[in-house]
């Protein structure tokens, strides 16, 4: 039996294909969660599967004694897309791992221990990034509240970790431009390393390659995961040329078995290639605009039920008034064949960037019908 850290519906998944999931009874579901926000190009992408099969016959895992062409090319690609020109990367397995390593590196460089972030951020499932009362080194301030930094001793802060779209808390909120600008400037003026946590908001999710690019801020480090492998477990810590030089001057060892594995790096390279050649970042941004407008039409006609629509790219939230039971709506949508997120009275939509508008129309129709049942 499985240790249940979450509660699934009483259905077994048989197969996944593009934006669709099929249970063992043959029922089709439209996936508005991209798995766990990973399958930005849709599930079981044939070109990615081809790369997996090809690389399986060559090398999956290689250890520490050889260079890796896939990893080196992927590092160059991420440096280009993040604008960390001449920067360097290391490739791991999960987003939590990447965030924790970035924090560890920041501590190593600065000699400080505290980490600053905002209350819409989810940094990692464990370690220095875990949001826990036992994590005494994590300082959490309210997002969009610049005054909250006035009493912080920045001389103790190793890193500011910014997440430009809070999805893991279920609410999906986006910081104001001026707030991020001021916070990042204040951090850099005090010798604090700025880390952009792009595990969720990266790879086209917000309508740009990375969420921080909405704020005209250049971080010192960028962490990626989830959609980097489109469902295959690969993540990255990418650093600026200046940060990389720090490690040349004071080498740092990190013991982890799956660093720069060729299979994960080959997959991520193919994800970048497909996204570039097929313009999925731009297409996803346009689909997100359409999706938001359709949700706003529903909200306009159900103002007593729906409190707010929040959206950026293909990262959207529909928040209900406090007296509405969103779990019932969420369950009804699942029964109708739609996989959505639900938390704190908010439905979350983070579908593949490849989602057709007709599937959005089907969801909107189902939401309308479900809301009619509440009357």
């Amino acid at each position: 039996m499985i240790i249940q850290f979450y509660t699934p519906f009483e259905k077994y998944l048989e197969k996944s294909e593009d934006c669709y999931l099929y249970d063992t009874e043959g029922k089709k579901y439209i996936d508005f969660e991209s798995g766990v926000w990973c399958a930005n190009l849709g599930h079981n992408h044939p070109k990615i599967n081809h790369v997996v099969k090809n690389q399986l016959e060559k090398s999956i895992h290689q250890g520490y004694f050889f260079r890796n062409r896939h990893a080196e090319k992927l590092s160059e690609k991420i440096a280009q897309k993040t604008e960390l020109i001449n920067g360097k990367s290391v490739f791991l397995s999960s987003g939590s791992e990447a965030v924790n390593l970035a924090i560890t590196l920041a501590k190593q460089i600065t000699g400080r221990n505290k980490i600053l972030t905002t209350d819409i951020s989810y940094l990692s499932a464990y370690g220095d990034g875990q949001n826990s009362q036992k994590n005494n080194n994590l300082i959490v301030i309210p997002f969009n509240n610049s005054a909250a930094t006035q009493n912080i001793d920045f001389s103790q802060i190793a890193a500011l970790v910014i997440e430009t779209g809070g999805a893991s808390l279920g609410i999906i909120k986006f910081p104001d431009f001026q707030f991020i600008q001021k916070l990042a400037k204040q951090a850099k003026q005090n010798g604090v390393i700025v880390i952009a946590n792009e595990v969720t908001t990266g790879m086209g999710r917000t309508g740009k390659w990375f969420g921080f690019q909405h704020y005209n801020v250049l971080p010192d480090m960028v962490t990626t995961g989830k959609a980097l492998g489109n469902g295959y477990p690969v993540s990255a810590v990418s650093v600026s040329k200046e940060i990389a030089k720090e490690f040349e001057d004071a080498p740092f060892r990190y013991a982890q078995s799956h660093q720069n594995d060729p299979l994960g790096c080959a997959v991520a390279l193919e994800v970048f290639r497909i996204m570039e050649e097929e313009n999925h970042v731009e297409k996803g941004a346009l689909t997100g605009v359409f999706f938001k407008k359709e949700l706003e039409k529903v909200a306009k006609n159900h103002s007593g039920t729906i409190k707010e629509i929040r959206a950026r790219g293909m990262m959207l939230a529909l928040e209900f008034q406090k007296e509405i039971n969103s779990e019932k709506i969420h369950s009804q949508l699942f029964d109708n064949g739609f996989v959505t997120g639900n938390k704190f009275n908010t439905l979350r939509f983070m579908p593949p960037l490849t989602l057709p508008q007709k599937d959005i129309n089907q969801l909107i129709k189902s939401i309308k019908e479900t809301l009619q049942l509440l009357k």
Side-chain angles (χ1 to χ4, degrees), residues 243-272:
I243 295 294
K245 181 65 165 58
E246 295 274 358
F247 294 116
E248 291 175 7
D249 296 339
F252 174 85
R253 291 182 62 83
Y254 178 65
Q256 196 268 11
S257 303
H258 297 283
Q259 292 183 51
N260 306 317
D261 275 348
L263 178 53
C265 293
V267 167
L269 274 173
E270 181 66 7
V271 169
F272 271 111

Side-chain angles (χ1 to χ4, degrees), residues 82-369:
T82 59
E83 300 175 64
L84 295 176
I85 306 303
N86 296 321
K88 295 184 177 182
S89 295
V90 64
F91 302 102
L92 308 167
S93 303
S94 73
S96 290
E97 196 176 13
V99 172
N100 270 288
L101 177 55
I103 290 173
T104 300
L105 298 180
K107 287 183 174 184
Q108 178 79 6
I109 292 171
T110 63
R112 305 171 184 176
N113 287 317
K114 300 291 185 181
I115 307 301
L116 179 64
T117 192
T118 70
D119 59 358
I120 64 167
S121 298
Y122 176 89
L123 305 190
S124 74
Y126 59 87
D128 289 318
Q130 185 179 23
N131 191 353
S132 166
Q133 292 180 348
K134 295 181 181 180
N135 189 355
N136 296 322
N137 286 328
L138 188 64
I139 300 173
V140 180
I141 62 171
F143 92 115
N144 287 345
N145 186 345
S146 298
T149 65
Q150 292 179 356
N151 297 321
I152 293 175
D153 181 2
F154 276 92
S155 68
Q156 299 298 310
I157 305 293
L160 164 67
V161 186
I162 56 175
E163 188 171 8
T164 55
S168 296
L169 298 178
I171 52 178
I172 300 190
K173 290 188 176 180
F174 306 100
D176 292 338
F177 180 88
Q178 293 298 333
F179 173 74
I180 293 295
Q181 281 264 308
K182 182 177 180 180
L183 192 58
K185 182 179 180 180
Q186 198 171 3
K188 291 203 172 192
Q189 286 175 340
N190 286 277
V192 175
I193 290 173
V194 176
I195 302 171
N197 177 14
E198 297 288 341
V199 173
T200 298
T201 51
M203 304 304 291
R205 173 56 58 191
T206 66
K208 292 183 180 292
W209 277 100
F210 297 98
F212 72 82
Q213 292 170 336
H214 291 276
Y215 294 90
N216 195 27
V217 166
L218 184 63
D220 302 298
M221 300 184 188
V222 177
T223 60
T224 48
K226 292 190 182 294
L228 180 64
N230 202 58
Y232 185 87
V234 59
S235 61
V237 178
S238 305
V239 305
S240 68
K241 178 178 68 174
E242 292 75 20
I243 295 294
K245 181 65 165 58
E246 295 274 358
F247 294 116
E248 291 175 7
D249 296 339
F252 174 85
R253 291 182 62 83
Y254 178 65
Q256 196 268 11
S257 303
H258 297 283
Q259 292 183 51
N260 306 317
D261 275 348
L263 178 53
C265 293
V267 167
L269 274 173
E270 181 66 7
V271 169
F272 271 111
R273 189 192 68 78
I274 294 168
M275 292 187 73
E276 286 181 324
E277 289 189 2
E278 299 180 6
N279 297 316
H280 283 296
V281 177
E282 295 81 2
K283 289 178 180 178
L286 292 173
T287 303
V289 170
F290 172 80
F291 198 167
K292 181 184 179 184
K293 287 181 179 178
E294 294 305 304
L295 287 173
E296 288 174 338
K297 291 177 185 177
V298 178
K300 185 177 180 180
N301 293 323
H302 294 85
S303 58
T305 303
I306 297 173
K307 179 180 179 181
E308 187 178 26
I309 302 297
R310 296 183 293 276
R312 179 176 290 165
M314 292 289 266
M315 191 173 185
L316 306 98
L318 188 162
E319 183 176 353
F320 295 98
Q321 301 289 356
K322 62 181 180 180
E323 64 272 13
I324 302 299
N325 185 344
S326 67
E327 180 56 40
K328 286 186 177 181
I329 299 171
H330 174 245
S331 296
Q332 183 62 52
L333 289 174
F334 184 82
D335 289 343
N336 293 348
F338 302 94
V339 175
T340 64
N342 176 63
K343 202 168 184 180
F344 299 127
N345 234 33
T346 300
L347 291 182
R348 180 184 59 234
F349 311 106
M350 294 180 63
L353 308 183
T354 58
L355 186 75
Q357 289 188 3
K358 65 179 179 62
D359 289 342
I360 296 173
N361 291 333
Q362 288 185 51
L363 173 72
I364 295 297
K365 181 175 182 290
S366 186
I367 291 174
K368 290 178 180 178
E369 292 171 351

